[in-house]
């Protein structure tokens, strides 16, 4: 078994378990309870605070050598409300701090991605769902623009396949998406509706990259573990959809009670050998920064009682060069 030529960039997802990076929100119900004259002030306070927290997230990652960060898709609630431009107007007033927060990531060389909520279903059978999904996705692309992140898959905007059995409909609508969405768009396999084999033709037809998730694949196909040969096959096929291939991102997670458990474990204790040469690995673990730190070999982790990190049953630090 061959160890990676260079340490991959492990990605931190949105918030930390600790108090360093936590974001605020407001529900639609509570927002609508506010008198119209108070809504702008409420959003201004919330948005400004979340932007400052994004800025702190850049410092948090830079201080720890974390080079990949998933930006929360809930930073600006009410930003995409139909018929209500309050959120957009507020962000217009916050243009400078948004650019400064984005610049902090760019200056530190930290790659930023977004993975919007799963209620975005571009290929829904219902026209109103398709319309609201497109509106929300456009708002996320606008958010990336406002932070000043380049319009490419370096700053990926990632979705699942959506409504099952409608891959052709998904492929057909991609060319008509706004450019700042389309040029960032990527698709990820899930545990039920879309395996990598379902999404690969969509990605090839539309020029969008495939983000392979081995845990989803194992659960969907009822495989023994992430050492199944098909995991490596899909890593390589997914890599062919990335341009350049050095930008390939995969998702890494373990089940709490075994490979078939859909729930994410606190730390990563089973690292698939198929990922040893993947350059960018987004870590989906409940422990968030603790899990990333353990993979990077930073001090203070793993937590007491955590299992040793292994590749195909071999301790990771013992894998031969």
């Amino acid at each position: 078994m061959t160890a990676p030529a260079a340490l991959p960039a492990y990605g931190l997802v949105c918030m930390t378990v600790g108090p360093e990076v936590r974001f605020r929100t407001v529900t639609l119900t509570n927002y609508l309870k506010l008198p119209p004259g108070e809504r702008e002030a409420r959003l201004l306070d919330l948005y400004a605070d979340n932007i400052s927290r994004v800025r702190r997230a850049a410092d948090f990652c830079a201080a720890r050598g974390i080079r990949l960060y998933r930006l929360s898709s809930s930073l600006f609630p009410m930003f995409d409300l139909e018929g209500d431009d309050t959120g957009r107007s507020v962000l217009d007033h916050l243009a400078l701090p948004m650019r400064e927060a984005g610049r902090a990531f760019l200056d530190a060389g930290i790659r930023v991605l977004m993975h919007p909520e799963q209620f975005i279903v571009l290929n829904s059978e219902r026209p109103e769902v398709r319309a609201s999904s497109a509106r929300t996705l456009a708002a996320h692309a606008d958010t990336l623009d406002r932070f000043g992140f380049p319009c490419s898959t370096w700053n990926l905007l990632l979705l699942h396949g959506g409504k099952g059995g409608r891959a052709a409909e998904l492929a057909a609508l991609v060319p008509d998406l706004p450019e700042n969405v389309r040029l960032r768009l990527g698709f990820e396999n899930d545990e039920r509706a879309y395996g990598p084999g379902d999404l690969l033709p969509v990605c090839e037809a539309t020029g969008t990259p495939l983000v392979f998730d081995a845990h989803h694949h194992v659960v969907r196909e009822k495989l023994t573990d992430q050492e199944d040969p098909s995991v490596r096959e899909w890593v390589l096929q997914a890599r062919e959809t990335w341009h350049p291939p050095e930008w390939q991102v995969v998702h890494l997670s373990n089940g709490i009670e075994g490979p078939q458990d859909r729930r994410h474990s606190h730390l990563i204790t089973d690292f698939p050998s198929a990922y040893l040469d993947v350059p960018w690995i987004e870590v989906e673990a409940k422990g968030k920064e603790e899990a990333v730190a353990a993979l990077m070999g930073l001090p203070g982790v793993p937590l007491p009682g955590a299992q040793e990190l292994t590749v195909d049953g071999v301790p990771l630090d013992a894998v031969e060069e």
Side-chain angles (χ1 to χ4, degrees):
M1 189 178 298
T2 302
L7 187 69
Y10 294 109
L12 177 64
V13 174
C14 302
M15 299 181 292
T16 60
V17 173
E20 291 89 348
V21 185
R22 308 305 294 269
F23 297 107
R24 293 168 52 192
T25 191
V26 62
T27 65
L28 177 60
T29 298
N30 288 333
Y31 175 76
L32 294 177
K33 287 179 180 178
L34 294 171
E38 296 180 14
R39 294 174 183 175
E40 182 172 356
R42 177 65 179 275
L43 292 186
L44 180 62
D45 174 64
L46 191 155
Y47 287 7
D49 192 44
N50 280 352
I51 290 169
S52 70
R53 292 167 193 250
V54 169
R55 178 65 178 80
R56 292 201 296 274
D59 293 339
F60 181 93
C61 291
R64 290 157 179 80
I66 297 171
R67 298 187 290 126
L68 179 64
Y69 182 71
R70 182 191 293 181
L71 195 65
S72 172
S73 59
S74 302
L75 290 175
F76 307 123
M78 314 306 131
F79 178 44
D80 62 341
L81 281 184
E82 187 174 17
D84 183 349
D85 291 331
T86 305
R88 190 170 298 276
S89 175
V90 168
L91 280 189
D92 288 343
H93 290 296
L94 295 171
L96 181 58
M98 280 196 77
R99 282 282 176 169
E100 290 175 345
R103 176 53 58 184
F105 284 99
L106 294 169
D107 288 347
I110 299 169
R111 184 178 182 181
V112 175
L113 316 179
M114 289 188 81
H115 192 1
E117 298 89 343
Q118 295 195 31
F119 64 76
I120 295 180
V121 184
L122 291 173
N123 56 350
S124 172
E125 296 172 342
R126 298 165 55 192
E128 67 274 17
V129 174
R130 294 198 300 270
S132 64
S133 296
R135 184 173 64 251
T136 300
L137 191 57
H140 284 88
D142 190 15
T143 296
L144 292 172
D145 288 344
R146 288 170 182 261
F147 277 117
F149 297 128
C151 197
S152 75
T153 53
W154 178 257
N155 299 113
L156 190 71
L157 195 54
L158 182 62
L159 295 180
H160 288 290
K163 179 69 175 178
R166 290 176 63 84
E169 287 80 0
L170 182 63
L173 62 84
V174 169
D176 294 329
L177 293 171
E179 184 176 65
N180 65 343
V181 173
R182 179 171 47 80
L183 295 181
R184 293 184 174 108
L185 190 63
F187 293 110
E188 176 196 357
N189 60 296
D190 60 64
E191 298 135 326
R192 295 178 179 173
Y194 285 92
D198 302 306
L199 286 175
L200 183 62
V202 176
C203 292
E204 292 175 336
T206 60
T208 52
L210 173 61
V211 172
F212 178 64
D213 187 309
H215 187 195
H216 288 171
H217 176 62
V218 166
V219 172
R220 187 174 190 270
E221 303 301 327
K222 298 179 173 57
L223 304 176
T224 302
D225 55 39
Q226 295 186 32
E227 291 305 314
D228 187 272
S230 64
V231 174
R232 181 58 179 173
E233 292 169 6
W234 279 116
V235 166
L236 296 177
Q237 290 196 66
R239 185 171 298 164
E240 293 296 318
T241 68
W242 283 89
H243 305 290
E246 292 80 12
W247 286 9
Q248 182 185 24
V249 178
V250 298
H251 283 179
L252 172 63
S253 62
N254 295 161
I256 295 177
E257 296 182 356
Q260 288 298 317
D261 190 343
R262 296 174 63 244
R263 300 169 299 168
H264 291 163
S265 58
H266 191 81
L267 299 179
I268 300 298
T269 58
D270 185 14
F271 189 99
S273 59
Y275 281 7
L276 284 172
D277 65 350
V278 175
W280 301 88
I281 301 177
E282 199 169 18
V283 180
E284 296 187 319
K286 295 295 185 184
K288 295 185 182 290
E289 79 276 20
E290 297 168 357
V292 171
L295 286 164
M296 294 176 65
L298 297 180
V301 289
L303 299 179
Q307 294 178 328
E308 187 174 29
L309 178 65
T310 63
V311 177
D312 198 11
V314 179
L316 184 59
D317 59 6
V319 174
E320 295 181 358
E321 296 283 350

